[in-house]
Amino acid sequence: MILTVTLNAALDITYRVPRLRPHHSHRVSEVIERPGGKGLNVARVLATLGHEAVATGLVGGATGAALRDQLNAYPGVTDAFVPIAGTTRRTVGLVDASSGDTTQLNEPGPQVTPAEWAAFADRYAELLDGAAAVALCGSLPPGLPVGAYAQLIRTARTAEVPVLLDTSGEPLRRGIAARPDIVKPNAEELAALTGSTEPVRAARDARRRGAHAVAASLGPDGLLAVTGDGAWRASPPSRIAGNPTGAGDSAVAGLLSGLAEGLPWPERLARAVALSAATVRAPVAGEYDAATYDELLPKVRVASHPAAA
Amino acid sequence: MILTVTLNAALDITYRVPRLRPHHSHRVSEVIERPGGKGLNVARVLATLGHEAVATGLVGGATGAALRDQLNAYPGVTDAFVPIAGTTRRTVGLVDASSGDTTQLNEPGPQVTPAEWAAFADRYAELLDGAAAVALCGSLPPGLPVGAYAQLIRTARTAEVPVLLDTSGEPLRRGIAARPDIVKPNAEELAALTGSTEPVRAARDARRRGAHAVAASLGPDGLLAVTGDGAWRASPPSRIAGNPTGAGDSAVAGLLSGLAEGLPWPERLARAVALSAATVRAPVAGEYDAATYDELLPKVRVASHPAAA
């Protein structure tokens, strides 16, 4: 079983409009609602890959109830969310059918109380028992301590469960200091953390700050990994056009499933890059195209890099 | 008691963003959620004016439950909605704080079954007993017969309850043929109905088609009424700048409350125009500014018009 944590879950709403005209009124031609938040995306991809995925985090209110209803329809993902009094946020993606571009509107998350956070921490410790790996994903809702992920990483390390962190800003900085097994920043987050816009240098710096391994997303160019076992660059055979929403979450699912299966780093990276590209090419944001994945997986180039720290 | 009917109720969500940038991602700085749909706006204004308002219509799903929760917080509006299996639509208004402009996104309504429509018609007939007037407002959700308003008008006329219709398109055309006491189209709806862009001629035409009285909204220029008792133009003392959302619903509340109080047409029109202008000036869409209303009411010019049919 692989555990995913989504503290700031969301009800993702996608509106399709023929053409977005600012300051006008639009009839929405298509409404899609689905459980959202990075950890939930990871759980869905893990389940599609055949892994047992357990999704936890915080949900509440009418939107939280709608999210759980919909989560129950996903085969292979077990709902282990912890209820809160606040209301789960919505995100609204406006897809302009004329251009394919998306305008995104993200509500702030609900206020979480110290008692709710303590109840979550207890549940999380229980769920780690029997987990092959855990992913901590996304932003923190208001009310949580900035060191929330650092605390969850320490709990995972005590339980000897490999832990991956995918967040940004101060929660990433504090989390890295708690020595997670893997961090998966993108190049921008890595630069904000380390002050270096050169990814190899920045990844080495992140390792010195505490991360055992750094798998940095380079967008359409693939992934750079700097680990204790070596350093690699993994690239798709060509640039893939499409919607990048959820591509990073699919990469996390690739890395974690490979870790849980005991695959060496180059194979984990190939899987992560192929899943990520197959997500960009999928018609629905946050899902992946299985045929593209099967086609790309053997074509991902993984090159050893002399930059190992 | 005044009854309002909102067949395609909505959960109105307002998002405030510092500046709307199409095809970018935005953190929403403020989220406001309120019960929406034209009949509900009318009921709220009636309650503020001191009338007992009963709001009926169709609601369902998680958004419908949220709408009812919030409706319970409004003093003076009694919830008499009829439940359906489908999910009440949302409307999203994106307020660009840099310009004050709003971009509106309206979901389609839920599918309504014939059995649900029949259950509503029964409940509506019960509610008419004791109503001083009834307002039928807004669009029809999918599944309802295009003659739905015509049927509700006939029921009201049988019950001898004065009935006002505020809708557009084919439901307006069919509704007018059922001889409602008042229709309140705007100039555009009236032109679409009659083919005439000259409001006085179009209003006379609408009367010939069956409406006993036509109160046509001319936007910032006020109202034109053509009735069996005479014709009038009512104009605010000056053009009012602001957000016109809900101004038409406030005009309906002004017309209906005046009817229920036995006021003559010129006083009803003055009230409707002052409420409408006070709604444009209110900071929140769909509410009215009481001080502006008190200030404007004695200043509305109501001029008799030679155009009575």
Side-chain angles (χ1 to χ4, degrees):
Chain A
M1 177 273 273
I2 299 177
L3 181 64
T4 73
V5 173
T6 314
L7 294 174
N8 206 4
L11 186 64
D12 280 352
I13 301 167
T14 304
Y15 287 156
R16 209 175 163 79
V17 293
R19 195 163 69 86
L20 179 61
R21 300 172 64 212
H23 312 151
H24 284 77
S25 191
H26 305 72
R27 277 175 202 267
V28 174
S29 51
E30 192 182 297
V31 181
I32 300 170
E33 229 181 77
R34 29 170 276 165
K38 294 164 76 72
L40 274 164
N41 294 342
V42 173
R44 260 197 305 261
V45 175
L46 287 170
T48 312
L49 289 169
H51 281 266
E52 192 194 338
V54 174
T56 188
L58 304 167
V59 289
T63 43
L67 182 155
R68 297 187 93 157
D69 272 357
Q70 291 168 29
L71 187 55
N72 287 338
Y74 285 104
V77 179
T78 302
D79 172 1
F81 274 85
V82 172
I84 56 170
T87 297
T88 293
R89 69 197 172 112
R90 286 171 291 226
T91 70
V92 176
L94 305 175
V95 179
D96 180 328
S98 69
S99 66
D101 284 328
T102 299
T103 305
Q104 189 69 34
L105 298 145
N106 296 330
E107 296 187 5
Q111 191 72 31
V112 180
T113 67
E116 288 166 342
W117 171 237
F120 174 79
D122 286 349
R123 180 78 176 118
Y124 168 76
E126 287 168 18
L127 290 166
L128 282 175
D129 188 22
V134 57
L136 311 175
C137 302
S139 60
L140 297 178
L144 286 196
V146 69
Y149 281 134
Q151 176 184 334
L152 299 184
I153 288 164
R154 286 190 295 269
T155 308
R157 291 180 54 76
T158 302
E160 295 183 349
V161 176
V163 54
L164 180 150
L165 176 64
D166 182 8
T167 189
S168 60
E170 193 60 21
L172 172 61
R173 185 184 303 270
R174 300 282 191 105
I176 282 182
R179 310 188 69 76
D181 294 272
I182 308 175
V183 291
K184 196 218 67 60
N186 59 33
E188 204 174 53
E189 288 159 352
L190 202 53
L193 175 77
T194 63
S196 170
T197 56
E198 202 291 292
V200 173
R201 183 172 303 162
R204 292 174 65 174
D205 185 2
R207 288 196 71 219
R208 276 194 297 273
R209 289 164 184 262
H212 287 265
V214 177
S217 160
L218 307 177
D221 294 328
L223 285 169
L224 165 75
V226 182
T227 80
D229 300 332
W232 295 270
R233 276 195 70 154
S235 323
S238 59
R239 284 195 165 224
I240 308 291
N243 182 348
T245 308
D249 305 328
S250 292
V252 168
L255 294 171
L256 265 198
S257 60
L259 169 70
E261 293 167 33
L263 298 183
W265 267 102
E267 288 180 48
R268 295 185 207 172
L269 293 168
R271 182 182 287 183
V273 167
L275 277 174
S276 202
T279 300
V280 169
R281 199 177 272 173
V284 175
E287 297 185 3
Y288 75 90
D289 185 77
T292 303
Y293 172 61
D294 290 341
E295 179 206 327
L296 291 182
L297 184 58
K299 297 186 185 161
V300 174
R301 290 163 299 177
V302 183
S304 187
H305 197 285
Chain B
M1 178 271 272
I2 299 177
L3 182 63
T4 72
V5 173
T6 314
L7 294 174
N8 206 4
L11 185 65
D12 280 352
I13 301 167
T14 304
Y15 286 156
R16 208 175 164 82
V17 293
R19 194 162 71 85
L20 179 61
R21 299 172 65 211
H23 312 151
H24 283 77
S25 190
H26 306 71
R27 278 174 202 265
V28 175
S29 52
E30 193 183 297
V31 181
I32 300 170
E33 229 181 78
R34 27 170 279 163
K38 294 164 77 71
L40 274 165
N41 294 342
V42 173
R44 261 197 305 261
V45 174
L46 286 170
T48 312
L49 289 168
H51 280 267
E52 191 192 339
V54 174
T56 188
L58 304 167
V59 289
T63 43
L67 183 154
R68 297 187 93 158
D69 272 357
Q70 290 168 29
L71 188 56
N72 288 337
Y74 286 105
V77 178
T78 302
D79 172 0
F81 273 85
V82 173
I84 56 170
T87 296
T88 293
R89 70 196 171 113
R90 285 171 289 225
T91 71
V92 176
L94 305 176
V95 179
D96 180 328
S98 70
S99 67
D101 284 328
T102 299
T103 305
Q104 189 68 35
L105 297 146
N106 296 330
E107 295 186 5
Q111 191 73 31
V112 180
T113 67
E116 288 166 341
W117 170 237
F120 173 80
D122 287 350
R123 180 79 176 118
Y124 168 76
E126 287 168 18
L127 290 166
L128 282 175
D129 188 22
V134 57
L136 311 176
C137 302
S139 59
L140 297 177
L144 286 195
V146 71
Y149 281 134
Q151 177 183 333
L152 298 184
I153 289 165
R154 287 191 294 269
T155 309
R157 289 179 56 77
T158 303
E160 297 184 349
V161 176
V163 54
L164 180 149
L165 177 63
D166 183 7
T167 188
S168 59
E170 194 59 22
L172 172 61
R173 185 183 303 269
R174 301 282 191 106
I176 282 182
R179 309 189 70 74
D181 294 272
I182 309 174
V183 291
K184 196 218 68 59
N186 59 33
E188 203 174 55
E189 288 159 353
L190 202 52
L193 176 76
T194 63
S196 170
T197 56
E198 201 291 293
V200 173
R201 183 172 304 162
R204 292 174 65 173
D205 185 2
R207 288 197 72 217
R208 277 194 297 274
R209 290 163 184 261
H212 287 267
V214 177
S217 160
L218 308 176
D221 295 328
L223 284 169
L224 165 74
V226 182
T227 80
D229 300 332
W232 295 271
R233 277 195 70 153
S235 323
S238 59
R239 283 193 167 227
I240 307 291
N243 183 347
T245 308
D249 305 327
S250 292
V252 168
L255 294 171
L256 266 199
S257 60
L259 169 70
E261 293 167 33
L263 298 183
W265 266 102
E267 289 180 47
R268 296 185 208 171
L269 293 168
R271 182 183 287 183
V273 167
L275 278 173
S276 202
T279 301
V280 169
R281 199 176 273 173
V284 175
E287 297 185 3
Y288 75 89
D289 185 78
T292 302
Y293 172 61
D294 290 341
E295 180 206 326
L296 291 181
L297 184 57
K299 297 186 186 162
V300 174
R301 289 163 300 177
V302 184
S304 188
H305 197 284

Coordinates of all heavy atoms in Angstrom, one line a residue, chain A residues 93-145:
Chain A
G93 N -11.2 25.7 -13.2 CA -10.4 25.8 -14.4 C -11.3 26.2 -15.5 O -12.3 25.4 -15.8
L94 N -11.1 27.3 -16.2 CA -11.9 27.7 -17.3 C -11.2 27.4 -18.6 O -10.1 28.0 -18.9 CB -12.1 29.2 -17.3 CG -12.6 29.9 -16.1 CD1 -12.6 31.4 -16.2 CD2 -14.0 29.4 -15.9
V95 N -11.7 26.4 -19.3 CA -11.0 26.0 -20.5 C -11.7 26.8 -21.7 O -12.9 26.7 -21.9 CB -11.2 24.5 -20.8 CG1 -10.5 24.1 -22.1 CG2 -10.6 23.7 -19.6
D96 N -10.9 27.5 -22.4 CA -11.3 28.3 -23.6 C -11.2 27.3 -24.8 O -10.1 27.0 -25.2 CB -10.4 29.5 -23.7 CG -10.7 30.3 -24.9 OD1 -11.2 29.8 -25.9 OD2 -10.5 31.5 -24.8
A97 N -12.3 26.9 -25.3 CA -12.3 25.8 -26.3 C -11.7 26.4 -27.6 O -11.2 25.6 -28.4 CB -13.8 25.3 -26.6
S98 N -11.7 27.7 -27.8 CA -11.2 28.2 -29.0 C -9.6 28.1 -29.1 O -9.1 27.9 -30.1 CB -11.6 29.7 -29.2 OG -11.0 30.5 -28.3
S99 N -9.0 28.2 -27.9 CA -7.5 28.1 -27.9 C -7.0 26.9 -27.1 O -5.8 26.6 -27.3 CB -7.0 29.4 -27.2 OG -7.3 29.4 -25.8
G100 N -7.9 26.3 -26.3 CA -7.4 25.2 -25.4 C -6.7 25.7 -24.2 O -6.4 24.9 -23.3
D101 N -6.5 27.0 -24.0 CA -5.9 27.5 -22.8 C -6.8 27.5 -21.6 O -8.0 27.5 -21.7 CB -5.5 29.0 -23.1 CG -4.2 29.1 -23.9 OD1 -3.4 28.2 -23.8 OD2 -4.1 30.0 -24.7
T102 N -6.2 27.4 -20.4 CA -7.0 27.3 -19.2 C -6.7 28.5 -18.3 O -5.5 28.9 -18.1 CB -6.7 26.0 -18.4 OG1 -7.0 24.9 -19.3 CG2 -7.4 25.9 -17.1
T103 N -7.7 29.1 -17.8 CA -7.6 30.2 -16.8 C -8.0 29.5 -15.4 O -9.1 29.0 -15.3 CB -8.5 31.4 -17.1 OG1 -8.2 31.8 -18.4 CG2 -8.3 32.5 -16.1
Q104 N -7.1 29.6 -14.5 CA -7.3 28.9 -13.2 C -7.6 29.8 -12.1 O -7.0 30.9 -11.9 CB -6.0 28.1 -12.9 CG -6.1 27.1 -11.8 CD -7.0 25.9 -12.1 OE1 -7.0 25.5 -13.2 NE2 -7.7 25.4 -11.1
L105 N -8.6 29.4 -11.2 CA -9.0 30.2 -10.1 C -9.0 29.3 -8.9 O -9.8 28.3 -8.8 CB -10.4 30.8 -10.3 CG -10.5 31.8 -11.5 CD1 -11.8 31.7 -12.2 CD2 -10.2 33.2 -11.0
N106 N -8.1 29.6 -7.9 CA -8.0 28.7 -6.7 C -8.5 29.4 -5.5 O -7.9 30.5 -5.1 CB -6.5 28.3 -6.6 CG -6.1 27.5 -7.8 OD1 -6.8 26.8 -8.4 ND2 -4.8 27.6 -8.1
E107 N -9.5 28.8 -4.8 CA -9.9 29.4 -3.6 C -8.9 29.1 -2.5 O -8.1 28.2 -2.6 CB -11.2 28.7 -3.1 CG -12.4 29.0 -4.0 CD -13.7 28.4 -3.5 OE1 -13.7 27.9 -2.3 OE2 -14.7 28.5 -4.2
P108 N -8.8 30.0 -1.5 CA -7.9 29.7 -0.3 C -8.5 28.5 0.4 O -9.7 28.2 0.3 CB -8.0 30.9 0.5 CG -9.3 31.6 0.2 CD -9.6 31.2 -1.3
G109 N -7.7 27.8 1.1 CA -8.1 26.6 1.8 C -8.9 27.0 3.1 O -8.9 28.1 3.5
P110 N -9.5 25.9 3.8 CA -10.2 26.2 5.0 C -9.2 26.4 6.2 O -8.1 25.9 6.2 CB -11.0 24.9 5.2 CG -10.1 23.8 4.6 CD -9.5 24.5 3.4
Q111 N -9.7 27.1 7.2 CA -8.9 27.3 8.5 C -8.9 25.9 9.2 O -10.0 25.3 9.4 CB -9.6 28.4 9.3 CG -8.7 28.8 10.5 CD -7.5 29.7 10.0 OE1 -7.6 30.4 9.0 NE2 -6.4 29.6 10.8
V112 N -7.7 25.4 9.6 CA -7.6 24.2 10.3 C -7.3 24.5 11.8 O -6.4 25.3 12.0 CB -6.6 23.3 9.7 CG1 -6.5 21.9 10.4 CG2 -6.9 23.0 8.2
T113 N -7.9 23.9 12.7 CA -7.7 24.1 14.1 C -6.5 23.2 14.6 O -6.2 22.2 14.0 CB -8.9 23.9 15.0 OG1 -9.2 22.5 15.0 CG2 -10.1 24.6 14.5
P114 N -5.8 23.6 15.7 CA -4.8 22.8 16.3 C -5.3 21.4 16.6 O -4.6 20.4 16.5 CB -4.3 23.6 17.5 CG -4.6 25.0 17.2 CD -5.9 25.0 16.4
A115 N -6.6 21.3 17.2 CA -7.1 20.0 17.5 C -7.3 19.1 16.3 O -7.0 17.9 16.3 CB -8.4 20.2 18.3
E116 N -7.7 19.7 15.2 CA -7.9 19.0 13.9 C -6.5 18.5 13.4 O -6.4 17.3 12.9 CB -8.6 19.8 12.9 CG -10.1 20.0 13.2 CD -10.8 21.1 12.4 OE1 -10.1 22.0 11.8 OE2 -12.0 21.1 12.4
W117 N -5.5 19.3 13.5 CA -4.2 18.9 13.1 C -3.7 17.8 13.9 O -3.1 16.8 13.4 CB -3.3 20.2 13.1 CG -1.8 19.9 12.9 CD1 -0.8 20.2 13.7 CD2 -1.2 19.2 11.7 NE1 0.4 19.7 13.2 CE2 0.2 19.1 12.0 CE3 -1.7 18.6 10.6 CZ2 1.0 18.5 11.1 CZ3 -0.9 18.0 9.7 CH2 0.5 18.0 9.9
A118 N -3.9 17.9 15.2 CA -3.5 16.8 16.1 C -4.2 15.5 15.8 O -3.6 14.4 15.8 CB -3.7 17.2 17.6
A119 N -5.5 15.6 15.5 CA -6.3 14.3 15.1 C -5.7 13.8 13.8 O -5.6 12.5 13.7 CB -7.7 14.7 15.0
F120 N -5.3 14.7 12.9 CA -4.8 14.2 11.6 C -3.5 13.5 11.9 O -3.2 12.4 11.3 CB -4.6 15.3 10.6 CG -3.9 14.8 9.4 CD1 -4.5 14.1 8.4 CD2 -2.5 14.9 9.3 CE1 -3.9 13.5 7.3 CE2 -1.8 14.4 8.2 CZ -2.5 13.7 7.2
A121 N -2.6 14.1 12.7 CA -1.3 13.5 12.9 C -1.4 12.1 13.5 O -0.6 11.2 13.2 CB -0.5 14.4 13.9
D122 N -2.4 11.9 14.4 CA -2.6 10.5 15.0 C -3.0 9.5 13.9 O -2.5 8.4 13.8 CB -3.7 10.6 16.0 CG -3.2 11.3 17.3 OD1 -2.0 11.5 17.5 OD2 -4.1 11.6 18.2
R123 N -4.0 10.0 13.1 CA -4.5 9.1 12.0 C -3.4 8.7 11.0 O -3.2 7.6 10.6 CB -5.6 9.8 11.3 CG -6.3 9.0 10.2 CD -7.2 8.0 10.7 NE -7.9 7.2 9.6 CZ -7.8 5.9 9.4 NH1 -7.1 5.2 10.2 NH2 -8.4 5.4 8.4
Y124 N -2.6 9.7 10.7 CA -1.4 9.5 9.8 C -0.5 8.5 10.3 O 0.0 7.6 9.6 CB -0.8 10.9 9.6 CG 0.6 10.9 8.9 CD1 0.6 10.7 7.5 CD2 1.7 11.1 9.6 CE1 1.9 10.7 6.8 CE2 3.0 11.1 9.0 CZ 3.0 10.9 7.6 OH 4.2 11.0 7.0
A125 N -0.2 8.6 11.6 CA 0.8 7.6 12.2 C 0.2 6.2 12.1 O 0.9 5.2 11.8 CB 1.1 8.0 13.7
E126 N -1.1 6.0 12.3 CA -1.7 4.7 12.2 C -1.6 4.2 10.7 O -1.3 3.0 10.5 CB -3.2 4.8 12.5 CG -3.6 5.0 14.0 CD -5.1 5.3 14.1 OE1 -5.9 5.1 13.1 OE2 -5.4 5.9 15.2
L127 N -1.9 5.1 9.8 CA -1.9 4.7 8.4 C -0.5 4.3 7.9 O -0.4 3.5 6.9 CB -2.5 5.8 7.5 CG -4.0 6.1 7.7 CD1 -4.4 7.4 7.0 CD2 -4.8 5.0 7.1
L128 N 0.5 4.9 8.5 CA 1.9 4.5 8.0 C 2.2 3.1 8.3 O 3.0 2.5 7.6 CB 2.9 5.4 8.8 CG 3.1 6.8 8.3 CD1 4.1 7.6 9.3 CD2 3.6 6.9 6.9
D129 N 1.5 2.5 9.2 CA 1.7 1.1 9.6 C 1.2 0.3 8.4 O 0.0 0.2 8.1 CB 0.9 0.8 10.9 CG 1.2 -0.6 11.4 OD1 2.3 -1.2 11.0 OD2 0.4 -1.2 12.1
G130 N 2.1 -0.3 7.7 CA 1.7 -1.1 6.5 C 1.9 -0.4 5.2 O 1.7 -1.0 4.1
A131 N 2.4 0.9 5.2 CA 2.6 1.6 4.0 C 4.0 1.3 3.5 O 5.0 1.2 4.2 CB 2.5 3.1 4.2
A132 N 4.1 1.1 2.1 CA 5.4 0.8 1.5 C 6.1 2.2 1.2 O 7.4 2.2 1.1 CB 5.2 0.1 0.2
A133 N 5.4 3.2 1.1 CA 5.9 4.6 0.9 C 4.8 5.6 1.1 O 3.6 5.2 1.2 CB 6.4 4.7 -0.5
V134 N 5.2 6.9 1.3 CA 4.2 7.9 1.6 C 4.6 9.2 0.8 O 5.8 9.5 0.7 CB 4.0 8.2 3.1 CG1 5.3 8.6 3.7 CG2 3.0 9.3 3.3
A135 N 3.6 9.8 0.2 CA 3.8 11.1 -0.6 C 3.1 12.2 0.2 O 1.9 12.1 0.4 CB 3.3 10.9 -2.0
L136 N 3.8 13.3 0.4 CA 3.2 14.5 1.1 C 3.2 15.5 0.0 O 4.2 16.0 -0.5 CB 4.1 14.9 2.2 CG 4.5 13.8 3.2 CD1 5.5 14.4 4.3 CD2 3.3 13.2 3.9
C137 N 2.0 16.0 -0.4 CA 1.8 16.8 -1.6 C 1.0 18.0 -1.4 O -0.1 18.0 -0.9 CB 1.2 15.9 -2.7 SG 2.0 14.4 -3.1
G138 N 1.5 19.1 -2.0 CA 0.7 20.3 -2.2 C 0.9 21.3 -1.1 O 1.8 21.2 -0.2
S139 N 0.1 22.3 -1.1 CA 0.1 23.5 -0.2 C -0.5 23.1 1.1 O -1.1 22.1 1.3 CB -0.6 24.7 -0.8 OG -1.9 24.4 -1.0
L140 N -0.2 24.0 2.1 CA -0.8 23.8 3.5 C -2.0 24.7 3.6 O -1.9 25.9 3.2 CB 0.2 24.1 4.6 CG 1.5 23.3 4.6 CD1 2.4 23.8 5.7 CD2 1.1 21.8 4.9
P141 N -3.1 24.3 4.1 CA -4.2 25.2 4.3 C -3.9 26.1 5.5 O -3.0 25.8 6.3 CB -5.4 24.2 4.7 CG -4.8 23.0 5.2 CD -3.4 22.9 4.5
P142 N -4.7 27.2 5.6 CA -4.5 28.2 6.7 C -4.6 27.5 8.1 O -5.5 26.6 8.2 CB -5.5 29.2 6.5 CG -5.9 29.1 5.1 CD -5.7 27.7 4.7
G143 N -3.8 27.9 9.0 CA -4.0 27.3 10.4 C -2.9 26.3 10.7 O -2.6 26.0 11.9
L144 N -2.4 25.6 9.7 CA -1.4 24.6 9.9 C 0.0 25.2 10.2 O 0.3 26.2 9.6 CB -1.2 23.6 8.8 CG -2.4 22.6 8.6 CD1 -1.9 21.5 7.6 CD2 -2.8 22.0 9.9
P145 N 0.8 24.6 11.1 CA 2.1 25.2 11.3 C 3.0 25.0 10.0 O 2.8 24.1 9.3 CB 2.7 24.3 12.4 CG 1.9 23.1 12.4 CD 0.5 23.5 11.9

